[in-house]
Amino acid sequence: MNTAIHSMSRVLFGVVGAALFVSSGAALAQSTDPILERIKAKGTITLGYRESSIPFSYLNDDRKPVGYAMDLCLKVTDAVKQRLQVPALKVDYIAVNPQNRIALVANGTVDLECGSTVNTLGRQAQVDFSAPHFISTTRLLVRKGADIKEVEDLNGKAVALPINTTPERLIKALIEAKKLKVRIVPVKDNSEGFLALSTGRVDAFSTDDILLSGLRKSAPVPLDYEVVGRPLSFDPYGLMLQKNSTVFLSLVNATIARSVRSGELNASYDKWFTPLDVPMSKDLAAALKLAALPE
């Protein structure tokens, strides 16, 4: 095993292992927790969704939140109904974005965030994450025919970066380290980033590659755009929830484990990612195997 693969394996094991240890071991010490108590008291579970994180969480033509992460959160909702014995549990939806998603989860406004949020050490100080349900990397979306293949090609050009995201910090650090002259255009979300690219305000938009593929697929003429560049990061996505709710976290991870073992999660992946021509990566397959704990 080469050094890069060994390093990736340790990171992946750490992410999954930490989530599963917290959710299984600590949960044994208590029978309920703040999130479940809040849900039961309200008779409602509140799910946070993204408006344009295709195919994880976005609004369809009927303005209804749908996507791969939304499907998984609805499976968690079914598990909560059984756990609390509240079959008529209501579901409320709250739109979140990169600027407010962590705060809304941390303060309890959102019970479970169903989007495309990367699990990082810094964020773990404020919120908890489920086991990974996707692995992404940072790349670039450009107009086809543009003379841009890598970050280094942005020298003298403009790039849109989503505020308060892992790609924003990464690309800024690379620009500084390589002493590139790049004009950075901050955007609030993916749709604004794509708008900046499609209208010529910027030469590239950088965020998670899978989100870029979703934006490209939804463009009026997808062939006008391409996702380029070497993988710049290793970013595990997790469902996000308030800290110190170990029973609820255990329930979320158990839902993921059972969905993997039953084949439901793979079917959901095929449903949402096949139209984007994105087969499941070896990294994600490994992550899901680790998450699929036996009963």
Side-chain angles (χ1 to χ4, degrees), residues 14-15 18 118-127 129 166 169 243:
V15 169
V118 177
N119 183 350
T120 70
L121 295 176
R123 289 170 178 169
Q124 285 182 21
Q126 304 173 72
V127 294
F129 287 87
T166 304
R169 291 186 288 273
K243 286 192 74 66

Side-chain angles (χ1 to χ4, degrees), residues 35 38 45-49 72-74 76-77 105 109-114 130 239-242 248 252:
I35 294 180
R38 182 170 66 234
I45 183 170
T46 304
L47 304 179
Y49 71 92
L72 189 52
C73 281
L74 290 176
V76 173
T77 299
V105 169
T109 301
V110 168
D111 296 315
L112 189 63
E113 189 252 2
C114 318
S130 72
L239 303 180
M240 192 164 50
L241 58 146
Q242 196 174 33
F248 184 61
V252 172

Side-chain angles (χ1 to χ4, degrees), residues 23 36-37 110 124 129 131 154 207 220 235 237 265 272 281 289:
S23 64
L36 289 175
E37 290 174 353
V110 168
Q124 285 182 21
F129 287 87
L154 292 175
T207 189
D235 301 319
Y237 289 1
L265 195 61
W272 294 105
S281 67
K289 280 186 177 181

Side-chain angles (χ1 to χ4, degrees), residues 8-163:
M8 183 277 289
S9 298
R10 286 193 302 168
V11 171
L12 182 57
F13 181 80
V15 169
V16 178
L20 297 181
F21 173 78
V22 169
S23 64
S24 59
L28 295 176
Q30 61 185 110
S31 59
T32 187
D33 70 4
I35 294 180
L36 289 175
E37 290 174 353
R38 182 170 66 234
I39 291 171
K40 188 170 186 177
K42 295 188 305 179
T44 302
I45 183 170
T46 304
L47 304 179
Y49 71 92
R50 296 286 297 277
E51 295 184 331
S52 57
S53 284
I54 303 168
F56 297 92
S57 179
Y58 65 100
L59 293 174
N60 65 10
D61 293 340
D62 297 324
R63 306 298 292 175
K64 176 184 176 183
V66 296
Y68 173 73
M70 292 304 306
D71 283 357
L72 189 52
C73 281
L74 290 176
K75 288 185 182 298
V76 173
T77 299
D78 289 338
V80 171
K81 290 178 181 179
Q82 287 190 319
R83 170 88 189 199
L84 298 180
Q85 297 184 337
V86 183
L89 185 70
K90 296 179 182 178
V91 179
D92 275 353
Y93 297 96
I94 291 182
V96 301
N97 57 51
Q99 292 76 55
N100 65 18
R101 58 187 170 180
I102 292 176
L104 291 176
V105 169
N107 68 20
T109 301
V110 168
D111 296 315
L112 189 63
E113 189 252 2
C114 318
S116 51
T117 302
V118 177
N119 183 350
T120 70
L121 295 176
R123 289 170 178 169
Q124 285 182 21
Q126 304 173 72
V127 294
D128 280 336
F129 287 87
S130 72
H133 62 75
F134 192 79
I135 308 292
S136 73
T137 186
T138 300
R139 295 178 69 197
L140 304 169
L141 182 68
V142 300
R143 282 188 170 278
K144 199 156 191 176
D147 191 21
I148 300 173
K149 297 299 180 185
E150 299 288 352
V151 171
E152 292 80 2
D153 299 325
L154 292 175
N155 195 38
K157 297 180 172 64
V159 62
L161 298 176
I163 300 169

